[in-house]
Amino acid sequence: MRPLDPARAERLDCVQANLAVLADHHHGRDTHLNLGAALRLRWRVGADGLPTVEPTLDDQLADARELLGLAVREDTTLTGAELAAAAESGSPVYAVADAFELPWVPYCGHKHMEHSFLLVSGGTVVDAYANKTQWGPAIPGTWDFPHGALAGTTTRALRFDPVPLTAPTALVEIADADGYLAGYAAHEDRVAAFERLTLETWLLARSRALHAAFRARQDTEPRPEQAAHLDGWAALVEQTYLAYRRVARGRAEPPGVLSRLGDLLAADQAVFGAAPGAGRDERLRRSVAGLVASVLRVPAARLLDGAEFTTLPRFSSFRLVEIVERLESELGAEIDPVDLVPENLHRVDDLCQIIRPVPAGVPVAAKGA
């Protein structure tokens, strides 16, 4: 049993990573991508009073049963010494312990958090988690089980049985983003708020990358806008961490982090909300393509084939403003201001996702098409 390669592991959190190893072992390579089937903003209020999207371990185990075909057979609490003995008596043990105590991860001695690993016969630790931390990188690999160091460590130890899988379908559910953002905007302890938000944006960014990988197995057409959207999430993670470090030093809070987070959550629906071609209104697509073609002076067929406006010679921010204004005036389209972000405005199908259907009586051919 081997860990995932880093490119795959970098889409998963420290609980998912080793469930993924088990799923791929039992059901085949990339079964773990099923964890990305649903892209959500599903949050609760944590013990610190801040909203969090971080699932509980029991939530993760429920997902393992439904999405990975892994049913819990045993669930016990063991010391490190007992864990080593258990691994010699059957199938691999999936263990969850305090990362502060685990010598092969960079969090050891620095940060308390739940961290998973697999212990297999022969005393080998398999850990597929990948991340860059301020204490060094976590790299997927295998290690000898540190018997002495973990002798008194308490772990939650589980074994799984493989069960039949039903292929999940892609789903996007972004619920109450305003409430989520408001919780961070109103929190009085700004250091605590930004420290937590650093983890939140990291979790959200990884889940979006995992969803994109899941959809890539189903899409019959390329979705170049997804890569740009994921780049935006990665940039937000970096921006949030820099903001946290600045606030932690007593400096002024940088503006724009929460508004950018809100923009990206809004763009999730447009970028991932439907598979290419699903439920397309061809009449609307032709109308939009004709209008954009008249502005950018290119054949409408090129736009209907998925060409990005930014790749065309006449495209500029001024042309984009003209396109939006003409959509509203000539096609009678209505666009929610929250949807006016670049991710939604650079392809015909993206525009069709954010505008309301053309009202009855509006000509399908735009002027100049």
Side-chain angles (χ1 to χ4, degrees):
M1 186 170 295
R2 304 179 62 182
L4 305 175
D5 66 70
R8 286 170 168 78
E10 286 175 356
R11 304 174 185 137
L12 303 165
D13 66 34
C14 60
V15 172
Q16 292 173 326
N18 295 302
L19 291 171
V21 174
L22 289 174
D24 286 8
H25 174 74
H26 287 297
H27 295 290
R29 181 180 171 88
D30 285 345
T31 299
H32 72 273
L33 293 179
N34 289 351
L35 289 170
L39 182 146
R40 292 186 170 99
L41 179 71
R42 185 170 59 186
W43 57 273
R44 57 187 170 84
V45 177
D48 55 7
L50 287 163
T52 181
V53 296
E54 186 175 19
T56 66
L57 177 56
D58 287 338
D59 289 336
Q60 302 270 44
L61 296 177
D63 284 344
R65 174 65 178 83
E66 179 181 356
L67 300 171
L68 300 181
L70 299 174
V72 175
R73 169 165 42 98
E74 298 177 18
D75 187 351
T76 59
T77 300
L78 302 175
T79 65
E82 293 169 333
L83 181 65
E88 298 297 334
S89 62
S91 57
V93 177
Y94 175 86
V96 179
D98 186 351
F100 192 89
E101 306 291 343
L102 306 179
W104 64 88
V105 297
Y107 305 109
C108 183
H110 296 290
K111 187 172 183 177
H112 294 282
M113 58 183 286
E114 286 187 335
H115 188 88
S116 76
F117 61 95
L118 297 170
L119 188 58
V120 301
S121 179
T124 299
V125 168
V126 177
D127 191 346
Y129 181 61
N131 192 25
K132 296 175 183 177
T133 82
Q134 65 192 86
W135 306 287
I139 301 172
T142 59
W143 296 265
D144 291 333
F145 184 68
H147 292 76
L150 297 183
T153 300
T154 299
T155 63
R156 186 170 174 182
L158 303 103
R159 294 188 203 269
F160 297 88
D161 286 328
V163 295
L165 265 177
T166 300
T169 56
L171 172 70
V172 179
E173 291 181 346
I174 307 300
D176 193 14
D178 290 343
Y180 179 75
L181 296 169
Y184 284 92
H187 198 71
E188 294 183 359
D189 186 338
R190 303 312 292 161
V191 175
F194 273 94
E195 182 178 20
R196 183 70 209 185
L197 196 61
T198 299
L199 174 60
E200 294 292 303
T201 55
W202 181 87
L203 288 168
L204 289 165
R206 288 207 167 194
S207 66
R208 273 70 188 150
L210 186 60
H211 185 70
F214 173 82
R215 293 185 72 111
R217 295 192 305 176
Q218 301 180 326
D219 288 349
T220 58
E221 301 175 27
R223 299 293 298 268
E225 72 278 12
Q226 292 183 5
H229 186 58
L230 296 179
D231 286 344
W233 274 106
L236 177 63
V237 172
E238 181 177 347
Q239 180 185 2
T240 306
Y241 179 67
L242 291 172
Y244 160 60
R245 293 299 296 264
R246 180 179 175 86
V247 172
R249 296 196 309 271
R251 306 293 296 276
E253 178 179 318
V257 174
L258 289 176
S259 62
R260 187 172 186 181
L261 173 55
D263 290 344
L264 286 168
L265 290 171
D268 279 343
Q269 189 70 46
V271 173
F272 294 118
R280 293 192 305 196
D281 181 336
E282 290 301 325
R283 176 178 178 275
L284 177 61
R285 290 183 76 240
R286 291 194 300 271
S287 296
V288 172
L291 185 149
V292 176
S294 70
V295 174
L296 300 182
R297 297 181 186 174
V298 295
R302 186 173 176 185
L303 301 175
L304 289 169
D305 285 341
E308 288 206 33
F309 307 160
T310 55
T311 66
L312 304 174
R314 278 181 53 82
F315 181 81
S316 68
S317 57
F318 299 105
R319 300 289 181 231
L320 185 58
V321 169
E322 182 180 352
I323 289 168
V324 171
E325 290 180 348
R326 288 183 59 182
L327 284 171
E328 294 178 327
S329 63
E330 297 181 26
L331 294 187
E334 294 186 18
I335 303 175
D336 191 321
V338 75
D339 290 327
L340 291 173
V341 294
E343 294 88 346
N344 299 344
L345 306 175
H346 290 166
R347 291 171 70 248
V348 165
D349 286 333
D350 296 337
L351 287 172
C352 290
Q353 289 290 328
I354 65 170
I355 63 178
R356 296 180 183 178
V358 180
V362 175
V364 298
K367 294 178 180 178

